[in-house]
């Protein structure tokens, strides 16, 4: 297959899969920005090793393998990191994320529906945590609350969303 | 809330201690059910992040490309084929341009 065609096919696979790869990396580090930086490095490695990609085989497990190596390399090199998952667990999580990838689009659509139902205060908290990537202590400071109270509120919001998403997926008949 | 959920919450809050990390690894290596629970919550966590961060870097990059740029048409084609609101990475674009 010509090199350019391989690159186009690979790019196509990448754009379809990159959010699943980000979620997988996000299970290996608990910091959003670190995960996003590692995703970019994974993208670079994927295309650098395009010649090793076999289009006859599923793309996602191959990309997960590269992501895992990127995370391991980062963990060895970085002075400070949040990659705390053991190597043994990394491979097992890759298998789970490979299965979850099938439902991602439905899950995202259900989340959009459910997120709009959150009361304004919950939406504000989500914005601080998910858009601002703020730590719980900083959210507490900005909202005049305590870290403990913010943790509980975020937990309740996530639970509320999970319940709502579960109901939506059941209605649509697409629950995993 | 059980102990495992407390560990997952600490992860999702970005505030995992070393001891909690050790305990989380033990849970994740031992239990398929807990791995699935953890993966589900992390997936939702990143969908939330995606929903709040407007990652339109590829669209921005495309606007900056000269019309005759090598690969630009291919990237636009890929972009148009994407399901829903999937947001591709600048990386794919960069590779196609090189």
């Amino acid at each position: 297959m010509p090199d350019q065609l391989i690159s186009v096919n690979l790019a196509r696979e990448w754009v379809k899969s990159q959010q699943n790869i980000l979620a997988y990396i996000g299970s290996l580090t608990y910091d959003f920005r670190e995960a996003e930086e590692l995703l970019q490095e994974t993208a670079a490695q994927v295309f650098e090793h395009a010649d090793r990609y076999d289009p006859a085989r599923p793309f996602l497990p191959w990309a997960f393998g590269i992501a895992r190596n990127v995370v391991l390399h980062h963990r060895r090199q970085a002075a400070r990191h949040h990659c705390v998952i053991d190597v043994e667990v990394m491979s097992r999580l890759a298998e789970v994320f490979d299965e979850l990838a099938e439902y991602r689009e439905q899950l995202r659509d259900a989340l959009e529906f459910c997120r709009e139902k959150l009361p304004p205060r919950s939406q504000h908290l989500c914005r601080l945590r998910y858009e601002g990537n703020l730590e719980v202590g900083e959210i507490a400071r900005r909202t005049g609350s305590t870290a403990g109270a913010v943790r509980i509120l975020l937990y309740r919001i996530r639970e509320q969303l999970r319940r709502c998403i579960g109901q939506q997926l059941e209605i649509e008949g697409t629950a995993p | 809330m059980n102990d495992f959920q407390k560990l997952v919450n600490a992860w999702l809050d970005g505030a995992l201690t070393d001891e909690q990390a050790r305990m989380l690894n033990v849970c994740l290596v031992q239990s398929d059910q807990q791995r699935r629970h953890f993966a589900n919550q992390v997936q939702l966590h990143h969908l939330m992040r995606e929903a709040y961060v407007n990652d339109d870097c590829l669209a921005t990059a495309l606007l900056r490309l000269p019309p005759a740029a090598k690969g630009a048409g291919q990237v636009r084609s890929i972009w148009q084929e994407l399901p829903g609101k999937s947001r591709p990475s600048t990386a794919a674009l960069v590779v196609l341009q090189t």
Side-chain angles (χ1 to χ4, degrees):
Chain A
M1 193 181 290
D3 286 352
Q4 195 179 5
L5 190 53
I6 291 172
S7 285
V8 171
N9 285 341
L10 206 56
R12 205 179 293 273
E13 292 289 354
W14 176 265
V15 291
K16 272 196 295 187
S17 307
Q18 77 153 358
Q19 293 298 339
N20 290 311
I21 298 166
L22 178 59
Y24 172 59
I25 295 173
S27 74
L28 309 180
T29 167
Y30 57 87
D31 182 79
F32 282 133
R33 295 217 170 90
E34 189 171 46
E36 287 154 4
E37 282 168 21
L38 290 168
L39 177 74
Q40 292 304 317
E41 178 57 27
T42 301
Q45 294 285 325
V46 159
F47 290 103
E48 207 168 291
H49 297 109
D51 56 329
R52 297 183 197 167
Y53 170 58
D54 176 1
R57 303 188 70 173
F59 172 76
L60 207 48
W62 181 71
F64 281 163
I66 291 178
R68 187 172 60 240
N69 289 338
V70 166
V71 170
L72 287 170
H73 179 76
H74 173 71
R75 193 158 76 179
R76 283 194 300 271
Q77 301 293 322
R80 188 167 175 271
H81 64 79
H82 304 86
C83 307
V84 294
I85 294 299
D86 290 346
V87 179
E88 187 182 357
V89 180
M90 286 181 174
S91 302
R92 295 189 187 189
L93 281 171
E95 292 167 14
V96 181
F97 276 94
D98 191 28
E99 291 172 23
L100 289 179
E102 187 182 342
Y103 303 99
R104 187 181 177 282
E105 295 300 317
Q106 293 96 318
L107 193 61
R108 194 197 53 208
D109 290 346
L111 174 63
E112 281 300 300
F113 173 83
C114 295
R115 208 163 54 90
E116 287 173 10
K117 290 185 160 187
L118 289 176
R121 188 185 178 207
S122 299
Q123 295 212 16
H124 180 57
L125 273 183
C126 286
R127 198 164 281 284
L128 292 173
R129 176 72 189 107
Y130 289 97
E131 186 178 296
N133 191 25
L134 297 181
E135 292 178 358
V136 165
E138 178 60 19
I139 296 173
R141 195 186 65 75
R142 292 194 188 190
T143 56
S145 185
T146 65
V150 170
R151 278 193 195 98
I152 290 169
L153 282 172
L154 285 171
Y155 169 67
R156 286 181 182 160
I157 291 168
R158 288 191 289 255
E159 283 300 295
Q160 190 180 344
L161 287 170
R162 280 180 53 198
R163 277 195 300 274
C164 174
I165 287 169
Q167 287 165 358
Q168 276 303 110
L169 295 180
E170 268 188 31
I171 290 168
E172 295 167 9
T174 53
Chain B
M1 192 192 307
N2 62 31
D3 289 345
F4 179 67
Q5 185 60 52
K6 286 178 187 168
L7 297 174
V8 175
N9 285 349
W11 179 282
L12 301 177
D13 291 337
L16 201 74
T17 65
D18 289 347
E19 177 59 13
Q20 286 174 323
R22 192 190 63 74
M23 290 163 63
L24 181 64
N25 272 302
V26 170
C27 293
L28 293 178
V29 82
Q30 285 179 347
S31 166
D32 180 57
Q33 190 184 356
Q34 290 184 329
R35 271 197 303 279
R36 286 177 187 281
H37 182 73
F38 175 68
N40 269 309
Q41 296 216 22
V42 168
Q43 188 187 42
L44 180 59
H45 187 53
H46 277 270
L47 282 167
M48 286 287 282
R49 168 76 166 172
E50 185 190 341
Y52 281 99
V53 177
N54 184 20
D55 178 15
D56 59 355
C57 55
L58 178 65
T60 306
L62 277 173
L63 290 174
R64 291 179 185 166
L65 283 175
K70 179 187 169 191
Q74 289 160 342
V75 176
R76 285 195 187 95
S77 153
I78 291 167
W79 171 266
Q80 284 159 5
E81 285 175 21
L82 286 172
K85 300 174 191 167
S86 293
R87 295 170 182 131
S89 158
T90 310
L93 172 68
V94 170
V95 167
L96 285 170
Q97 296 308 303
T98 52

